[in-house]
Amino acid sequence: MQYYELSNKKLHFIVTPDELRKILQGFHHVVVNTGVRKNYVESNPNDFLFTYDTLYEKLKNGVKLVWNTDYDIAHFSTGITAHLENCIYQPYTKLCVPNFKEPCPFIDTFCFLPWKDQLSTSFSVTEFPENVCGLCLYFPTKIEYEKDTEKHSAGIVECADLDDFQTYETLVERIKSITKPLKMEFDNKVRRTAVRISDEAKKDFFNFYFVTSNNIKVF
């Protein structure tokens, strides 16, 4: 990338596949964390959405995910953008690697983990795939350029000055319009989490393996 991310905003959320389609409608999907084939421009949104369909189906049926067999649905991601012109891929050996002019919002999976009397969302799904529960939206709070670029001078740039800040704001607004903070009882204590969940997803969440295996009550 042409910049360094100094800090990130995060929004964890649990929605149904149909709700996710509405949230992401109208935006481009791009690869942000790995190499792509030459001449790549953007991804088919269905690649991400169909994977979420498969994940959600297993979660609502109480399936325990195992990394060796479920890694492709436990850990997947996509960048979301309204500005493909910023999403540059630089040729490198047999592939091209992301060298974006500016960052875009990024979504991947998250898991819960009981930790030090809390329900943490900070652990990797690669370590605890059985606890995958939903998605997390990321966007940099601020970034830094070491050198002048065609768009920015060297130095720190705040998120509000980035092209896809409005994309991020729109996604947050759409998510919050159909979700509420998730409240659960674990180990005889009520936990008011920062995770948001829709009413429709909550009907299924009662059956998620994380909930049933930890004897969690959902409010």
Side-chain angles (χ1 to χ4, degrees), residues 22 33 53 85 90 131 137 153 165 181 189 196 217:
K22 293 177 182 178
N33 58 358
D53 288 343
E85 70 274 10
Q90 181 176 334
N131 290 344
L137 171 67
S153 300
F165 178 67
K189 292 183 180 179
R196 300 185 68 90
K217 294 181 181 179

Side-chain angles (χ1 to χ4, degrees), residues 14-30:
I14 306 170
V15 295
T16 68
D18 286 343
E19 290 170 331
L20 182 62
R21 281 173 166 79
K22 293 177 182 178
I23 290 168
L24 301 181
Q25 187 174 13
F27 293 114
H28 301 280
H29 289 237
V30 292

Side-chain angles (χ1 to χ4, degrees), residues 19-30 40-49 78-84 87 104-107 137 139 163-175:
E19 290 170 331
L20 182 62
R21 281 173 166 79
K22 293 177 182 178
I23 290 168
L24 301 181
Q25 187 174 13
F27 293 114
H28 301 280
H29 289 237
V30 292
Y40 170 89
V41 177
E42 61 181 307
S43 300
N44 185 333
N46 288 329
D47 294 343
F48 180 79
L49 294 169
T78 188
I80 305 294
T81 183
H83 295 275
L84 284 177
C87 304
C104 65
F106 173 82
I107 296 176
L137 171 67
F139 192 66
D163 290 345
D164 266 320
F165 178 67
Q166 185 56 56
T167 302
Y168 169 76
E169 291 279 275
T170 299
L171 293 173
V172 169
E173 181 180 352
R174 290 178 181 178
I175 293 168

Side-chain angles (χ1 to χ4, degrees), residues 136-148:
C136 185
L137 171 67
Y138 297 84
F139 192 66
T141 305
K142 59 180 64 175
I143 63 173
E144 183 174 6
Y145 292 88
E146 283 192 345
K147 302 177 181 178
D148 291 345

Side-chain angles (χ1 to χ4, degrees), residues 3 17 27 32 52 67 98 109 119 123 136-137 155 173 185 216:
Y3 53 84
F27 293 114
V32 299
Y52 188 68
W67 183 253
T109 53
L119 292 175
F123 288 83
C136 185
L137 171 67
E173 181 180 352
E185 183 180 304
I216 290 173

Side-chain angles (χ1 to χ4, degrees), residues 110-130:
F110 84 89
C111 66
F112 274 116
L113 188 74
W115 178 255
K116 294 184 177 179
D117 198 39
Q118 299 294 324
L119 292 175
S120 175
T121 57
S122 299
F123 288 83
S124 171
V125 299
T126 62
E127 295 180 273
F128 304 99
E130 69 276 11

Side-chain angles (χ1 to χ4, degrees), residues 64-117:
K64 179 182 179 180
L65 300 183
V66 178
W67 183 253
N68 287 344
T69 55
D70 297 310
Y71 61 89
D72 56 338
I73 62 170
H75 192 208
F76 61 101
S77 63
T78 188
I80 305 294
T81 183
H83 295 275
L84 284 177
E85 70 274 10
N86 289 331
C87 304
I88 305 301
Y89 296 89
Q90 181 176 334
Y92 184 78
T93 61
K94 295 182 179 180
L95 297 173
C96 295
V97 296
N99 190 30
F100 290 9
K101 297 177 182 178
E102 288 188 3
C104 65
F106 173 82
I107 296 176
D108 67 4
T109 53
F110 84 89
C111 66
F112 274 116
L113 188 74
W115 178 255
K116 294 184 177 179
D117 198 39

